[in-house]
Amino acid sequence: MSLNRRTFLTGAAGATAAAIGLRGTASAAERPDGVVVTPADALEHLQRGNTRYANGNVQRKTYAPPGQSPEAGQWPFAAILSCSDSRVVPEDLFDVAGKNLFIVRNAGNLVDDVTMGSLEYAAVHTGISLIMVLGHTNCGAVDATQGSLATGQMPGPFVNSIVEAITPALTPLPAGYTLNDAIAANARYQSEQIQNLSPTLAAKTAAGTIGIVKGVYGLSNRRVTFLP
Ligand SMILES: [Zn+2]
């Protein structure tokens, strides 16, 4: 399928693959089941699924091969790094059945060593073709970081590690930035970290077998805005 055709299809969800900086649309990752899913395919699954979810047309689609026992392997088409926030449920908001997404969650959808190990594992051993960093509106972790930067007060022992991981995303922002500005900046920063920290993932994105995208889920309108 040509990129033009792909662009037309994804345009319905409001953001084309090219517009959000997705590279690697020409090559493809081959999954353990032999099914070829390109980064653009995976993005389209997510975008179309979120549109169905936002419109109340939930179908719980599956892209995993039918009839496979769990012991035979796993066939997620994308990895999602999302916040632990209980209101952000990737399978729900992308309208896919279980076993379709490899999900890494922590407060603030931030990158640390364990997150990177999880994503590298997914990229090497499960055949995913897309990694998405998914922030969300009203994120408490980003709000806490914004508050700490404003007051100079740190929240407490282990929460400090969350604030410290998000702080570099917020410090370049101009004075007077909003929480939504900070949430988008954090999603962008963490996605850049994935690319910068992992030679394995950088090589796969350069080869076009994996794409990395980022976005923000709106709690009020149920829609994911994919960020350029
Ligand atoms: Zn959050």
Side-chain angles (χ1 to χ4, degrees), residues 83-85 88 106-109 136-142:
C83 188
S84 297
D85 192 300
V88 181
N106 57 47
N109 42 271
H136 68 98
T137 57
N138 303 88
C139 182
V142 177

Side-chain angles (χ1 to χ4, degrees), residues 193-220:
Q193 287 291 94
I194 292 170
Q195 176 97 8
N196 292 340
L197 293 176
S198 170
T200 298
L201 293 173
K204 287 183 174 293
T205 56
T209 54
I210 284 189
I212 300 176
V213 296
K214 60 274 185 189
V216 176
Y217 171 62
L219 295 181
S220 59

Side-chain angles (χ1 to χ4, degrees), residues 66-67 70 75 99 117 128-129 146 154 168 172 180 182 214 221 228:
W75 296 270
K99 305 175 188 173
I128 60 160
S129 54
Q146 187 177 6
M154 292 296 277
N180 282 340
K214 60 274 185 189
N221 66 7

